[in-house]
Amino acid sequence: MHWRTRLVQPQALAPADFKSLTVPTHRASTVLFERQADVRDGWRQDEHGYTYGVYGTPTALELGARIAQLEKAHHTFVVPGGQAAIALVYLALGRAGSHVLVPHSAYGPNLKLARGMLERFGVTIEGYDPLIGAGIADLIRADTALVWTESPGSVTMEIQDVPAICAAAHARGVPVALDNTYAAGVLFDAFAHGVDISIQALTKYVGGHSDLLLGTVSVATAELKTRLGDAHQQLGLAVSPDDCTLALRGLQTLALRLDHLERATLEIARWLREQPQIEAVYHPALPGSPGHEIWARDFTGSASVFSILFKPDYDAARVAGFIDALQLFRIGMSWGGVTSLALSYPELKRPHRDYAGRLVRLNIGLEAVDELIADLAQALARV
Ligand SMILES: *Cc1c(COP(=O)(O)O)cnc(C)c1O
């Protein structure tokens, strides 16, 4: 062969039979077939083999299979991020003229998508009180296509009675989706509690180092696998195998990180509860936090993110001063990494509650706990 041809038609030269502990990073758009008769364009690799890179290389499928095993799901799809996971569920199950219930405490961009693009496509979105429990039955209509849940809720941390919501929805034949990001797919057994679809932002705990964006959609049944898989193919939600490799590495230390983060976060949350500037600490494992009793019944642990509410004599500007005074806590979105973060929400309101800019969300990282407490103490003293 001419060297030009050989450059693009190489034979494998390295010795075969390499064994290591890592999953190979397979990068590919083109997937090769042996014969023309074998050519397919399908996403069901278990039936007809691999067909195209968009539907995942073995690296993405290994990650999906491991998440499915952890969550005890029928099947897991890997998507480009948590928000893409939410979009996939909505676009697979929603239809023009249908009705979808979303808790007021849902992740902000989720609400934006529901009230934006979905309503534009003719889906009616109805918000509901995250603590409604079995009362959701009164909101389910003949045209309800989906009940969304997220537990705990973003920023305000309400734990939902997911089993009661599932029972009420299933009695009317309506599927329930859960944003299970807080539980990292392991602290809350979504499918055992009745959920039909569990999504996660792997960006948070599975990635664990603030350096990748990925999400998963896990389903309970073969029927949902088909509906979600067809929508996944139509939307072309391709993921980077390099990111999948990072997520696979993150899984290896997930248990250790979660154990440490739970202890450190509880210690800091309990300390904050004693401070005179703080009116409330919203941490699901602390009594008084909304839905705490349900957390104690349904969860096997708590994670690294929680919120604090300053007393009414602190306005949004003073709370911003507190955030700016922090030295170790950095200011930024996302959570579940190794670095402690703080963020206030000056605009955040719920239908029956105005937090008046006094709410701060903290993410605890892997720094020394007494130094994090000292940082919070000096910032509190300054405001
Ligand atoms: C971060 C987050 C998402 C979105 O994940 P991305 O990977 O950032 O798109 C979805 N749900 C919850 C609860 C989150 O915290």
Side-chain angles (χ1 to χ4, degrees):
M1 274 183 205
H2 191 278
W3 63 268
R4 290 179 193 279
T5 305
R6 201 174 332 118
L7 284 175
V8 295
Q9 299 262 354
Q11 304 295 312
L13 300 176
D17 301 325
F18 177 70
K19 284 200 182 76
S20 84
L21 293 166
T22 56
V23 176
T25 305
H26 292 280
R27 294 191 193 86
S29 52
T30 298
V31 170
L32 297 179
F33 303 92
E34 283 304 318
R35 299 168 306 155
Q36 172 63 39
D38 296 338
V39 176
R40 300 271 183 287
D41 180 25
W43 56 268
R44 292 180 179 275
Q45 295 89 354
D46 51 348
E47 287 178 13
H48 47 54
Y50 292 91
T51 65
Y52 191 51
V54 167
Y55 315 133
T57 70
T59 314
L61 265 71
E62 185 65 34
L63 176 61
R66 290 189 190 185
I67 296 291
Q69 204 172 54
L70 274 177
E71 293 208 44
K72 303 184 205 85
H74 173 75
H75 185 81
T76 296
F77 296 96
V78 183
V79 297
Q83 179 67 3
I86 293 166
L88 174 59
V89 175
Y90 279 142
L91 293 172
L93 301 189
R95 57 183 185 277
S98 68
H99 168 251
V100 171
L101 287 160
V102 187
H104 298 314
S105 54
Y107 177 63
N110 175 336
L111 288 169
K112 220 177 253 183
L113 168 64
R115 299 241 178 249
M117 202 177 287
L118 279 188
E119 291 216 315
R120 186 150 55 74
F121 289 164
V123 179
T124 302
I125 303 298
E126 184 178 354
Y128 71 89
D129 175 356
L131 300 174
I132 196 169
I136 196 87
D138 298 335
L139 302 182
I140 295 173
R141 315 189 325 203
D143 58 353
T144 303
L146 175 69
V147 177
W148 195 277
T149 59
E150 181 180 328
S151 183
S154 281
V155 190
T156 44
M157 304 302 291
E158 299 89 344
I159 295 286
Q160 295 199 258
D161 193 341
V162 169
I165 291 172
C166 289
H170 292 165
R172 304 280 297 275
V174 176
V176 176
L178 169 71
D179 188 330
N180 203 20
T181 299
Y182 175 90
V186 292
L187 303 178
F188 178 74
D189 191 344
F191 296 106
H193 287 97
V195 159
D196 303 284
I197 302 172
S198 164
I199 76 104
Q200 266 196 78
L202 300 190
T203 306
K204 309 290 167 53
Y205 291 118
V206 172
H209 297 77
S210 311
D211 57 2
L212 70 89
L213 291 154
L214 278 177
T216 48
V217 177
S218 301
V219 296
T221 64
E223 190 243 325
L224 284 169
K225 177 183 174 185
T226 297
R227 289 177 76 179
L228 273 290
D230 287 345
H232 184 267
Q233 176 177 31
Q234 288 163 35
L235 290 166
L237 296 175
V239 296
S240 153
D242 299 276
D243 289 345
C244 292
T245 298
L246 288 175
L248 284 161
R249 183 162 71 173
L251 280 174
Q252 295 174 324
T253 56
L254 179 65
L256 281 178
R257 288 185 284 109
L258 285 177
D259 288 349
H260 176 89
L261 292 173
E262 174 170 42
R263 281 195 305 274
T265 303
L266 274 169
E267 192 176 333
I268 292 166
R270 289 195 177 108
W271 180 85
L272 278 162
R273 218 164 38 159
E274 306 304 320
Q275 304 313 304
Q277 299 91 341
I278 305 303
E279 179 170 298
V281 175
Y282 302 127
H283 181 303
L286 295 186
S289 192
H292 163 73
E293 293 73 22
I294 296 166
W295 174 86
R297 183 192 70 191
D298 293 349
F299 281 65
T300 58
S302 60
S304 69
V305 66
F306 68 102
S307 294
I308 54 176
L309 184 68
F310 276 80
K311 286 193 172 152
D313 45 332
Y314 289 80
D315 61 9
R318 276 179 94 185
V319 171
F322 163 76
I323 303 274
D324 290 341
L326 290 165
Q327 302 288 316
L328 291 178
F329 283 83
R330 313 297 286 269
I331 305 167
M333 281 182 277
S334 212
W335 39 272
V338 301
T339 312
S340 292
L341 300 173
L343 214 53
S344 79
Y345 291 82
E347 311 293 333
L348 187 94
K349 285 188 183 66
R350 297 288 188 236
H352 305 294
R353 180 116 198 227
D354 183 354
Y355 293 90
R358 295 186 280 123
L359 203 58
V360 169
R361 186 175 70 179
L362 299 173
N363 172 64
I364 305 306
L366 298 183
E367 302 92 340
V369 173
D370 50 355
E371 291 189 350
L372 291 174
I373 289 176
D375 190 28
L376 292 165
Q378 66 80 21
L380 284 173
R382 284 227 243 157
V383 294

